[in-house]
């Protein structure tokens, strides 16, 4: 059995959210869990001069058999929905929950590494933006099993609806099937 990789923690700031966290999505092997309060039509670079919606990256993962779960707090705008419709794999394979109380920002990669921070899944938060238009963001990138497991348990608790029975915002929940 191979030895466990050394534990690391890394402070992520500003533009590192795009280069060190968002683009890491392409390397997922089995599972990607995303939790965000706000989600917009953000873009990623593909090659030197071409960009495409991040939703295309998620569709590629789903097509490869990767389990992708998304929890977000509100419905995205019309540009997001237009791009969403361009990728049939998302309709077929993206597992999604809308919970108006979610405010955490988590990306959990293969249940082995996690980003825990402030950046929403928006261009100004974690996406591709030019200098002067990006939010000031902060987060931690880690593979510490205790932190990753704790973040995954928190995500999973919301995912399965542990707090739904006592939620005072249930009237605003778009996924009232729980």
């Amino acid at each position: 059995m191979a030895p466990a990789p050394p534990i690391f923690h890394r402070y992520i700031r500003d533009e590192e959210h795009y280069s060190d966290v968002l683009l890491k999505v392409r390397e997922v092997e089995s599972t990607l869990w995303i939790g965000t309060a706000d989600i917009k039509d953000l873009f990623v670079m593909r090659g030197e001069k071409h960009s495409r919606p991040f939703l295309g990256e998620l569709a590629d993962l789903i097509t490869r058999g990767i389990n992708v779960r998304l929890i977000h707090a509100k419905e995205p705008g019309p540009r997001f929905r237009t791009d969403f419709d361009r990728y049939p794999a998302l309709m077929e394979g993206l597992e999604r929950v809308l919970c108006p109380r979610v405010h955490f920002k988590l990306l959990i990669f293969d249940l082995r590494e996690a980003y825990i921070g402030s950046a929403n899944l928006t261009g100004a938060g974690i996406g591709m933006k030019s200098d002067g238009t990006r939010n000031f963001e902060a987060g931690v990138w880690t593979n510490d099993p205790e932190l990753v497991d704790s973040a995954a348990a928190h995500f999973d608790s919301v995912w399965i609806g542990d707090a739904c029975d006592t939620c005072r915002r249930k009237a605003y929940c778009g996924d009232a099937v729980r």
Side-chain angles (χ1 to χ4, degrees), residues 102-135:
V102 164
H103 199 260
F104 55 61
K105 286 75 173 184
L106 300 171
L107 280 93
I108 302 170
F109 299 78
D110 296 319
L111 301 174
R112 291 190 308 249
E113 295 181 17
Y115 163 78
I116 305 163
S118 67
N120 280 308
L121 209 61
T122 65
I126 201 168
M128 189 177 83
K129 278 285 193 178
S130 60
D131 290 340
T133 59
R134 176 175 297 288
N135 294 341

Side-chain angles (χ1 to χ4, degrees), residues 1 7 11 36 67 90 106 109 123 160 176:
M1 179 183 251
I7 292 175
Y11 184 77
T36 184
N67 171 258
L90 297 174
L106 300 171
F109 299 78
I160 63 174

Side-chain angles (χ1 to χ4, degrees), residues 4-159:
I7 292 175
F8 67 83
H9 307 291
R10 200 166 142 252
Y11 184 77
I12 303 289
R13 57 178 284 170
D14 303 331
E15 68 282 344
E16 293 171 339
H17 281 84
Y18 174 77
S19 60
D20 296 358
V21 178
L22 193 62
L23 295 183
K24 177 91 170 154
V25 164
R26 295 174 178 160
E27 300 172 22
V28 171
E29 297 172 358
S30 64
T31 305
L32 175 66
W33 290 358
I34 303 169
T36 184
D38 194 10
I39 183 167
K40 292 186 179 170
D41 196 26
L42 71 134
F43 284 74
V44 294
M45 291 302 296
R46 289 301 267 183
E48 294 275 328
K49 297 181 182 185
H50 178 68
S51 66
R52 75 170 182 166
F54 178 68
L55 290 169
E57 301 292 317
L58 297 182
D60 287 352
L61 294 177
I62 291 165
T63 300
R64 288 186 6 229
I66 306 297
N67 171 258
V68 180
R69 289 184 172 177
L70 169 65
I71 300 175
H72 57 101
K74 63 183 181 179
E75 286 296 341
R79 282 191 259 162
F80 178 95
R81 289 191 301 272
T82 297
D83 278 339
F84 188 94
D85 292 344
R86 290 176 45 205
Y87 299 100
L90 297 174
M91 283 297 280
E92 298 162 12
L94 178 65
E95 297 181 53
R96 185 192 64 82
V97 167
L98 188 141
C99 175
R101 293 189 59 206
V102 164
H103 199 260
F104 55 61
K105 286 75 173 184
L106 300 171
L107 280 93
I108 302 170
F109 299 78
D110 296 319
L111 301 174
R112 291 190 308 249
E113 295 181 17
Y115 163 78
I116 305 163
S118 67
N120 280 308
L121 209 61
T122 65
I126 201 168
M128 189 177 83
K129 278 285 193 178
S130 60
D131 290 340
T133 59
R134 176 175 297 288
N135 294 341
F136 300 121
E137 303 285 1
V140 173
W141 178 264
T142 186
N143 71 344
D144 181 327
E146 186 175 334
L147 283 173
V148 174
D149 290 350
S150 184
H154 189 191
F155 183 101
D156 201 41
S157 174
V158 173
W159 183 263

